[in-house]
Amino acid sequence: MSGDRVGIVLVSHSAALADAVAELARGLAGGGDLAPVAAAGGLPDGGLGTSSELIAAAAKAVDAGAGVALLVDLGSAVLTVKALLAEGDELPAGARLVDAPFVEGAVAALVTASAGGDLDAVATAASEAYDYRKV
């Protein structure tokens, strides 16, 4: 693997939520030299929803050549990302929708990507966050 790290895009129906989860993940990942992470929340006019344009722009912004992990909050965000992946030319090569809880998965993905994990390791770490028990 080169020095490039996996980029992470957090897709939410809410810009505020996507931004807050990105900020939380950065803070909990320990600071320092973190992998690139971008929020793609809401619609361009600030409303609630998902925007393929915002998602594609965020993915391009974090793409360093090692792949891009896309984590989503709810149903139509999944559909929007799947449609972008199916189109094949809107997202960077190596972009992947990751099945993971939004908050815990974002933290696990960023920690793993920042440590130099490849896209498979980042996706696995994020997905394993489903197993985090709270009680």
Side-chain angles (χ1 to χ4, degrees):
M1 179 173 124
S2 69
D4 297 335
R5 290 182 285 185
V6 173
I8 299 164
V9 176
L10 304 175
V11 180
S12 173
H13 287 71
S14 163
L17 179 59
D19 290 338
V21 172
E23 180 183 348
L24 178 67
R26 285 185 197 104
L28 294 178
D33 186 25
L34 298 176
V37 60
L43 299 173
D45 68 2
L48 295 175
T50 55
S51 163
S52 58
E53 294 83 12
L54 293 178
I55 296 166
K60 289 174 184 160
V62 301
D63 180 28
V68 175
L70 295 111
L71 285 82
V72 300
D73 63 356
L74 299 170
S76 67
V78 174
L79 297 175
T80 303
V81 171
K82 283 184 174 182
L84 286 167
L85 289 167
E87 289 173 17
D89 61 348
E90 295 295 318
L91 296 176
R96 182 185 304 176
L97 174 60
V98 176
D99 183 16
F102 194 58
V103 176
E104 295 93 334
V107 173
L110 185 56
V111 167
T112 304
S114 297
D118 64 12
L119 185 56
D120 287 335
V122 169
T124 297
S127 294
E128 286 176 350
Y130 276 126
D131 296 332
Y132 297 171
R133 304 303 308 162
K134 295 177 182 165
V135 291

